Amino acid sequence: MGPDVVRLQGILDVEIDAELLQLALTHRSYAYEHGGIKHNERLEFLGDSILGQAVTVKLFRSFPDLDEGELAKRRASLVSTVALAEIARMIGLGSYLRLGKGEEQTGGRDKASILADTVEAVIGATYLSAGPDAATDLVLRLVEPLLVDPDRFGAAMDPKTSLQELAASLSLGNPAYRVTEEGPDHDKTFHATVVLQGEDVSTGSGTSKKTAEMAAALQAWTRLSGRAA
């Protein structure tokens, strides 16, 4: 078991089979460059289901006065790419990824889509290694910072609006977004930069323009609000 895997297990506070955890951290770009070895997308598929169930039950029990529509809205926020990427950044997950050279060179360690997918894969690996209870506990620990911090939770639900309101309160004017794209039509990656008063404040990436802008907005909100990224 490598030191990186041991360190990550300590951060996650759960024992995950070393090979499964390594697999959860393996992006398809790395797999293709190393002879087509296995990558994390099957674990991601599993983790997505576990994440959704755990969050649904948590919200149902924690907010007995909310109606179905509001519960669904909050669940969608907590399992969104933007929120999962925020969670990944909180625990420094990007530094543990196994990426291909192309993704490494284009900032893959901080791409919202890659980070979010890896969080789900780690949840899937936890389920297979330690069982459903441990996987649920992990999900709840990961999402807790968004649940206990109403402002951060609100920002994760609607980062562009939250950033606009915060920027206005700080007399910084309205945020502008500069977006670029790369890759073939069937597999594009978008990169967004938040600009305030003519200065670049933050960046974000995603598989759509909207997702990239949301990721960049959440990162800008996090910095301007004085919260640790």
Side-chain angles (χ1 to χ4, degrees), residues 40-128:
N40 64 8
E41 291 181 3
R42 280 175 54 86
L43 286 176
E44 173 200 337
F45 170 79
L46 175 61
D48 175 69
S49 178
I50 297 160
L51 170 70
Q53 181 182 38
V55 168
T56 298
V57 174
K58 174 64 175 178
L59 290 173
F60 183 87
R61 290 176 172 169
S62 298
F63 302 100
D65 296 328
L66 294 184
D67 62 23
E68 183 271 343
E70 185 62 26
L71 288 172
K73 182 179 177 182
R74 294 197 178 200
R75 178 180 60 191
S77 167
L78 285 174
V79 303
S80 70
T81 296
V82 172
L84 293 179
E86 169 79 350
I87 289 167
R89 294 186 183 104
M90 290 180 199
I91 62 176
L93 189 61
S95 63
Y96 299 96
L97 299 177
R98 303 171 85 192
L99 299 174
K101 293 178 181 178
E103 286 292 354
E104 190 77 65
Q105 293 169 356
T106 57
R109 293 189 183 279
D110 195 49
K111 284 184 180 178
S113 56
I114 292 178
L115 289 174
D117 291 347
T118 305
V119 169
E120 292 178 337
V122 168
I123 294 168
T126 302
Y127 180 92
L128 293 177

Side-chain angles (χ1 to χ4, degrees), residues 185-209:
D185 289 342
H186 68 279
D187 191 23
K188 282 189 179 298
T189 297
F190 294 81
H191 305 282
T193 301
V194 171
V195 182
L196 279 169
Q197 295 185 324
E199 294 188 8
D200 293 355
V201 176
S202 65
T203 60
S205 300
T207 53
S208 69
K209 179 182 177 182

